[in-house]
Amino acid sequence: MIYLDHNATTPLHPRAFEAMLPFLKELWANPSSPYRFGSQAKAAVEFGRGQIANCIGCKPSEVVFCSGGTESDNLALRGVVRALKSKGNHIVTTAIEHPAVLNTCKALENEGYRVTYLPVTEEGVVEMAALRASLCDGTILVTVMHANNETGVIQPVEEIATTTRARGVVFHTDAVQSAGKLDRKLAELGADLVTFSGHKLYGPRGVGVLYVREGTPLAPWMTGGTHEHGLRAGTENVAAIAGCAEAVTLAFEEAETEGHRLRSLRDRFELQVGAAIQAVRFNGSEAQRVPNTSNISFQDVDGESVVLGLDVRGICVSTGSACSTDDPEPSHVLRAMGLSPRAAQGSVRFSLGRDTCAADLDATVSALKDTVAHLRRVSSIRGDLE
Amino acid sequence: MQKMNPSPDDSGANDRNRGLEAPAAPVISYNEVVLDHFLHPHNVGELAKADTDGFVVVGDSSCGDQMKLWISVRNQRIAKIAFQSFGCPGAIATSSMLTVLAEGRTIEEARLITDDDVVEALGGIPAKKRHCSLLGVQALQAVIDDWEKRGRAPPEQP
């Protein structure tokens, strides 16, 4: 099997697995328990918090553990608007966010908040002028992702942070797809809140992080105990936290070298695809991207058919995001970049990872060439890409 | 180049990732018959102008799929049929099976082919792909309409 869907999930790193084991076997106590056995579990959670704080460049007290990227986004968005209810009701986001943010914004619209969905350029980058123009007195939150999950395109979060700070508006960024892929301390992006998740960087599922800059207004949205500085109730998932912390440590240690390796593999792959197959479009490739992601539209064919054609040859890729597999609508991200519905329908995401080697990509190019040629012979459409 | 293999169970997996093996079935699990019609569709292409007695383009606005269908009619019978389809695996497989069911049938018989017939002949398709089978049946009705419109005699009443 050749796995090229690392933006969906990644395999657990053996070191993360090892780091989890003691808390599944011997040290299974509740960290809130009053005896030493509990304190040992508590110490593990705090050790993990320290590891992560060190990697992202913040204080341990600014790290909040929760169940994953989706919950972290929900806590950030719902937590801020709840804390700032009396200050205003306007939220600014983009048209290309992950459903965890987009659908939370839609839910908040139903609760009476006003949401601006910013457009993006043809290369999938949010326009700063539009962002500045969207801010008003009632704006209480700006949420813009760091790297897009479908295209890998990096958003100008540092610039946004400068703008929001000057205006006194809270800024959240979903960094699920950039964490560990860029040699960059996430707290230094300048955002007040940063989301990332364990299983996208070779940690376990069921654990996510919200970095909360000290002093950021945030109210819990789930009621329960006083875990995680009172921001996230529920007994800590100690093993997952330990595994996540180990995975984050590894990812940030290797981000620079692994980034170079993946970027050169990805760029070589795109050159090969461009040479082997006519009428393809590399979506977002003129913008800055995370090094592992390539999003390609194949003229006159359907992306789902390409995915199945590769699947029968043992190659795992996806159209858009895994969350949208059941959704017949063409990618909202590519549509926002101005692609026609047909061109968006013909797009496939390749996301490389730690195990990917040049031979895997050679085999993928070859399988892709055959699959696309087959589908173009069958297709009723000729020349619909532009 | 690896040979096309319709079985996802046996898809040339290498040993390197053995421990990470994904479930055998694709995300939307199509059966072997559907996979075969997707990988090796029947009656793909177009008919020569001289052979074409009916032609139609139909589209499914809900999902963007599109199908072109050609028929050649001899003695009230579909002597030749050809299709081209843009769409998901479900669209390609149901288009292919539709042409298999319609080929050699009288116009009257072809009029009676339903989407259920196509799905049944394929041994079933995932529920969310059922709408794909409608496109082919609509195309078949429309291509017969086109043949009738071209001034050929309508089928004799029994």
Side-chain angles (χ1 to χ4, degrees):
Chain A
M1 183 183 81
I2 296 172
Y3 183 80
L4 294 176
D5 201 17
H6 291 83
N7 286 11
T9 195
T10 56
L12 190 61
H13 192 286
R15 262 177 60 185
F17 177 68
E18 290 298 327
M20 294 172 75
L21 285 179
F23 309 101
L24 295 168
K25 288 158 111 178
E26 300 93 17
L27 261 172
W28 42 262
N30 187 326
S32 301
S33 293
Y35 30 80
R36 276 175 298 166
F37 189 34
S39 309
Q40 287 174 299
K42 178 86 184 158
V45 170
E46 295 316 314
F47 180 74
R49 199 187 306 282
Q51 278 181 291
I52 287 176
N54 188 39
C55 289
I56 67 176
C58 72
K59 297 178 196 163
S61 58
E62 294 174 314
V63 172
V64 175
F65 288 114
C66 60
S67 70
T70 294
E71 190 192 331
S72 176
D73 284 337
N74 269 271
L75 173 57
L77 271 61
R78 293 174 192 274
V80 169
V81 300
R82 199 160 166 183
L84 296 178
K85 209 167 191 169
S86 60
K87 305 265 184 199
N89 78 333
H90 181 228
I91 301 164
V92 175
T93 187
T94 75
I96 60 164
E97 296 299 308
H98 185 275
V101 167
L102 218 44
N103 289 336
T104 303
C105 283
K106 283 179 189 155
L108 290 170
E109 267 186 294
N110 290 334
E111 290 175 25
Y113 291 94
R114 200 161 61 77
V115 181
T116 301
Y117 299 90
L118 296 173
V120 295
T121 64
E122 280 182 11
E123 290 300 322
V125 184
V126 68
E127 296 183 58
M128 281 306 297
L131 185 135
R132 284 194 197 94
S134 72
L135 299 175
C136 62
D137 289 343
T139 308
I140 49 176
L141 173 67
V142 172
T143 175
V144 176
M145 69 196 335
H146 190 201
N148 183 267
N149 49 306
E150 295 188 26
T151 61
V153 170
I154 297 170
Q155 304 302 319
V157 290
E158 289 97 333
E159 213 180 330
I160 297 170
T162 307
T163 304
T164 52
R165 193 170 312 129
R167 295 283 300 251
V169 175
V170 176
F171 174 39
H172 165 251
T173 188
D174 177 335
V176 164
Q177 292 295 349
S178 63
K181 290 176 186 164
L182 298 170
D183 185 25
R184 192 85 176 80
K185 287 206 184 296
L186 291 176
E188 291 167 9
L189 292 172
D192 302 297
L193 300 148
V194 181
T195 286
F196 61 97
S197 147
H199 77 104
K200 305 285 193 193
L201 38 69
Y202 307 89
R205 258 161 256 182
V207 58
V209 174
L210 182 65
Y211 156 74
V212 183
R213 182 185 304 285
E214 205 165 66
T216 304
L218 193 71
W221 66 287
M222 198 160 71
T223 46
T226 56
H227 313 83
E228 299 300 301
H229 330 302
L231 289 171
R232 201 277 183 175
T235 302
E236 298 88 340
N237 188 351
V238 183
I241 287 169
C244 177
E246 187 65 22
V248 168
T249 305
L250 273 163
F252 281 88
E253 268 171 18
E254 295 174 2
E256 194 185 351
T257 49
E258 185 62 2
H260 284 307
R261 191 185 76 85
L262 289 176
R263 185 179 304 280
S264 76
L265 280 178
R266 191 265 317 268
D267 292 349
R268 177 176 166 275
F269 171 69
E270 290 189 341
L271 280 174
Q272 284 180 304
V273 170
I277 305 171
Q278 292 200 320
V280 295
R281 182 189 200 278
F282 299 98
N283 298 308
S285 63
E286 297 295 314
Q288 280 193 7
R289 289 181 291 171
V290 284
N292 79 317
T293 308
S294 178
N295 187 301
I296 310 179
S297 291
F298 299 93
Q299 181 174 287
D300 306 332
V301 304
D302 177 74
E304 210 184 303
S305 288
V306 176
V307 170
L308 185 65
L310 295 184
D311 188 6
V312 297
R313 292 166 157 93
I315 301 170
C316 305
V317 301
S318 69
T319 59
S321 68
C323 300
S324 326
T325 303
D326 286 343
D327 185 355
E329 288 300 308
S331 154
H332 69 284
V333 175
L334 299 177
R335 295 285 290 126
M337 290 163 68
L339 270 72
S340 71
R342 281 242 162 82
Q345 199 178 335
S347 73
V348 178
R349 179 183 71 185
F350 303 83
S351 48
L352 287 53
R354 192 172 256 142
D355 292 330
T356 309
C357 63
D360 291 342
L361 296 172
D362 292 346
T364 302
V365 172
S366 169
L368 200 50
K369 189 181 174 187
D370 284 3
T371 299
V372 172
H374 166 65
L375 294 172
R376 283 181 176 165
R377 269 194 303 277
V378 177
S379 181
S380 61
I381 295 171
R382 301 284 181 267
D384 205 55
L385 189 62
E386 299 311 326
Chain B
M1 184 59 227
Q2 217 169 293
K3 200 170 142 266
M4 241 198 211
N5 189 337
S7 161
D9 290 322
D10 177 22
S11 46
N14 62 31
D15 286 325
R16 195 162 55 88
N17 286 333
R18 188 62 76 184
L20 311 173
E21 206 97 330
V27 176
I28 296 167
S29 40
Y30 296 106
N31 68 39
E32 297 291 313
V33 181
V34 178
L35 276 176
D36 191 48
H37 276 266
F38 167 69
L39 296 170
H40 312 287
H42 299 234
N43 303 308
V44 169
E46 45 190 285
L47 294 186
K49 204 160 182 138
D51 271 351
T52 302
D53 298 314
F55 169 69
V56 74
V57 186
V58 291
D60 183 335
S61 55
S62 74
C63 63
D65 290 354
Q66 192 202 65
M67 181 181 185
K68 290 181 179 171
L69 192 61
W70 289 258
I71 52 170
S72 175
V73 182
R74 295 287 173 272
N75 303 322
Q76 303 292 317
R77 213 171 263 283
I78 297 179
K80 287 183 196 164
I81 186 163
F83 86 96
Q84 291 177 340
S85 275
F86 166 84
C88 70
I92 292 171
T94 54
S95 302
S96 168
M97 183 53 91
L98 177 93
T99 65
V100 169
L101 294 182
E103 190 173 20
R105 297 293 182 91
T106 65
I107 293 295
E108 237 179 286
E109 289 166 343
R111 281 279 192 201
L112 297 176
I113 295 172
T114 66
D115 53 322
D116 286 338
D117 296 334
V118 175
V119 171
E120 196 185 321
L122 285 170
I125 52 172
K128 59 177 160 266
K129 293 293 174 188
R130 273 206 68 98
H131 73 276
C132 298
S133 60
L134 281 169
L135 189 64
V137 171
Q138 281 165 13
L140 184 61
Q141 295 292 339
V143 83
I144 295 173
D145 291 346
D146 182 58
W147 167 75
E148 285 175 352
K149 237 186 288 167
R150 289 180 189 212
R152 266 65 171 185
E156 286 169 17
Q157 296 302 314

